[in-house]
């Protein structure tokens, strides 16, 4: 049987970053991931980093490519009734956000882990947690047909919403809060120079649309779609025609038509708000999507994963800093409440952004409220400051 200090389940941004932060503190980890490294690094997901996230990536020593290639954005735009309204993040908060894809963050972290020589097992099957309620937890898994067992002090459950960590906690020990939304997001990645300077979140009568980017030559765009929609129903041509209709003729006319750069990736994701509390059960800690989900409007998912593991790495560092006989669990006990405070603020903001920008079926009263709220946002500097403060990330 192998031994380590912290067994990390899941090599998404949460697991990889936790491994790197703990490595910097001299704390040993093993990383167990169900998928292949190629699959994990190719997954197209988030794209906007808060300045606090960039700080944590700097501390982890993985920010040099981010600083060289990331795009600094000082504002975002909201499209409504044919007009675009700019929220000047920099003027309102003194801060900017960085556009840098989750694929790139993942690659930088994987490279750093390989350079550190820290052990990672990709394609680990049947990962299972044992004895997490007591002082000597174990993790078992199979790799290339062979069974393995790791004894550890702690398990970090960083295995996303569908992982096994949260499900290893007895139901009676968890409280779950959830909201599902009656639509999804259809995302497209395509290679052409973004014909917009900053992100545009558009509330249109045909539904929500988002114009984003990944680099000076690559766009990432989303449309609100029906939960019944299938990718096969959305040809590139249909996507870009609908995108132009929702963003307005000025932007629509700037999307290259013939030949439209073929999309590199196309996917549909449902929207959900979800929090499981607390984030600790015995020797198991939950972090990132394993513990919570936000709807993507507002770009908080990846940023929350980073703040969770930053708090968790501090708690573990404080624990291991003391000599073995004197180790107190107070820092570990405080992790859940500290992370949850930030999580709930991000849940609120993502829910608010989702409510203000999408078409919800069938409630005319709510629609009038939504329009009044957007008008207030465009007219009130105080309302813009509140949005900007949340968008760049609250200092909690
Ligand atoms: P994940 O990235 O989900 O990583 C969890 C890892 O655990 C995965 O690699 C998984 O393979 C592994 N795993 C799962 N089960 C097991 C197991 N049993 N054993 C071992 N390993 C396991 N956020 C935004 O801000 N903007 C976006 O546009 C956006 N788009 C998204 C699109 C999709 C389709 C999804 C699913 C999420 C999106 N998000 C977005 C959210 C953001 O990507 C996540 O919040 C972020 O990836 C969370 O990181 P994580 O490491 O906690 O979880
Ligand atoms: C992106 C995704 C988001 O959810 C968001 O709010 C902004 C940008 C993106 O993938 O680029």
């Amino acid at each position: 049987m192998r031994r380590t200090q912290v067994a990390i389940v899941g090599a998404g941004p949460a697991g990889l970053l936790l491994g790197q932060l703990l490595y910097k503190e001299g704390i040993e980890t093993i990383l167990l991931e169900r998928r292949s490294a190629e699959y994990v690094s190719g997954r197209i997901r988030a794209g906007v980093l808060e300045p606090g996230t960039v700080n944590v990536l700097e501390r982890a020593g993985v920010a040099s490519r981010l600083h060289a290639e990331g795009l600094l954005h000082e504002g975002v735009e909201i499209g409504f009734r044919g007009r675009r309204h700019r929220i000047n993040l920099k003027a309102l908060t003194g801060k900017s956000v960085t556009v840098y894809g989750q694929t790139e963050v993942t690659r930088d972290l994987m490279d750093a882990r390989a350079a550190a020589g820290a052990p990672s097992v990709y394609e680990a099957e049947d990962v299972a947690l044992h004895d997490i309620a007591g002082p000597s937890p174990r993790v078992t898994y199979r790799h290339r047909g062979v069974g393995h067992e790791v004894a550890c002090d702690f398990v970090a459950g960083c295995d996303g919403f569908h992982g096994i960590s949260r499900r290893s906690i007895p139901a009676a020990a968890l409280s779950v809060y959830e909201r599902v939304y009656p639509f999804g997001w259809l995302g497209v990645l395509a290679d052409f120079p973004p014909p917009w300077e900053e992100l545009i979140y558009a509330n249109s009568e045909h539904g929500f649309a988002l114009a984003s980017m990944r680099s000076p030559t690559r766009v990432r765009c989303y449309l609100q779609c029906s939960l019944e929609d299938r990718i096969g129903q959305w040809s590139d041509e249909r996507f870009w025609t609908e995108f132009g209709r929702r963003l307005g003729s000025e932007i629509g006319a700037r999307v290259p038509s013939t030949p439209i750069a073929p999309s590199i990736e196309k996917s549909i994701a449902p929207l959900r708000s979800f929090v499981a509390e607390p984030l600790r059960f015995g020797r198991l800690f939950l972090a990132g999507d394993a513990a919570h989900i936000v709807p993507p409007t507002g770009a908080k998912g990846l940023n929350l994963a980073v703040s969770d593991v930053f708090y968790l790495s501090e708690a573990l560092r404080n624990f291991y800093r003391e000599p073995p006989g004197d180790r107190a669990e107070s820092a570990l006990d405080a992790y859940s409440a500290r992370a949850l405070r930030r999580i709930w603020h991000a849940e609120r903001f993502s829910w608010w952004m989702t409510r203000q920008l999408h078409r919800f079926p069938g409630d005319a009263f709510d629609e009038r409220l939504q329009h009044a709220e957007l008008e207030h946002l465009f007219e009130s500097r105080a309302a813009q400051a509140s949005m900007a403060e949340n968008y760049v990330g609250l200092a909690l």
Side-chain angles (χ1 to χ4, degrees), residues 45-48 185 199 201 210 212-214 220 222 296-299:
R45 289 183 172 178
V48 177
W185 272 25
L199 271 59
Y201 292 84
L210 169 59
S212 181
M213 63 189 76
R214 284 291 178 275
R220 176 69 166 163
Y222 300 91
T297 338

Side-chain angles (χ1 to χ4, degrees), residues 334-353:
Y335 161 68
S336 179
R338 190 177 179 206
L340 279 165
R341 186 166 137 73
R342 187 176 190 83
I343 291 162
W344 275 110
H345 281 273
E347 290 285 347
R348 186 205 68 80
F349 179 64
S350 307
W351 166 85
W352 179 83
M353 285 279 281

Side-chain angles (χ1 to χ4, degrees), residues 127-148:
V127 175
L129 313 185
H130 309 273
D131 304 331
I132 50 174
S136 311
R138 290 173 300 117
V139 182
T140 54
Y141 63 97
R142 280 192 311 115
H143 187 237
R144 299 193 178 133
V146 180
H148 297 266

